[in-house]
Amino acid sequence: ANWVFAGVSLAAAVAILTWGLRRGPARERWLSAALGLILGGTVGNLYDRVVFGGVRDFIHFYWFEWPVFNVADCCLVVGAA
């Protein structure tokens, strides 16, 4: 399943790069920033999948129940929002 998600991440990265380099989105700063954050998160998780065999989550809040996540996940969420 890890390689399937790596393939999906690679396809998403290519699609985001293709969309972001077009003339229209390149002129819209907020869209470019959002695409950059999503691309950064996608490539970060892709790197973890290829190099470490899975995404390494390391940010954990001990004082309340919340899922463990990483910086790439933060970029994905903020970019999507």
Side-chain angles (χ1 to χ4, degrees), residues 12-13 15-17 19-21 24-43 71-81:
I16 292 167
L17 275 173
W19 184 23
L21 292 175
R27 288 185 293 205
E28 299 180 32
R29 290 186 180 189
W30 287 108
L31 179 59
S32 294
L35 289 175
L37 285 168
I38 294 169
L39 180 63
T42 302
V43 171
V71 176
D73 296 337
C74 294
C75 290
L76 286 166
V77 169
V78 171

Side-chain angles (χ1 to χ4, degrees), residues 1-70:
N2 188 49
W3 289 106
V4 172
F5 286 120
V8 170
S9 295
L10 185 61
V14 169
I16 292 167
L17 275 173
T18 303
W19 184 23
L21 292 175
R22 294 177 56 200
R23 186 174 302 185
R27 288 185 293 205
E28 299 180 32
R29 290 186 180 189
W30 287 108
L31 179 59
S32 294
L35 289 175
L37 285 168
I38 294 169
L39 180 63
T42 302
V43 171
N45 282 338
L46 174 63
Y47 176 82
D48 277 356
R49 289 186 192 287
V50 171
V51 173
F52 301 114
V55 176
R56 299 180 352 171
D57 293 330
F58 54 87
I59 300 173
H60 180 66
F61 297 111
Y62 294 101
W63 54 89
F64 61 91
E65 193 65 33
W66 193 261
V68 181
F69 59 96
N70 61 21

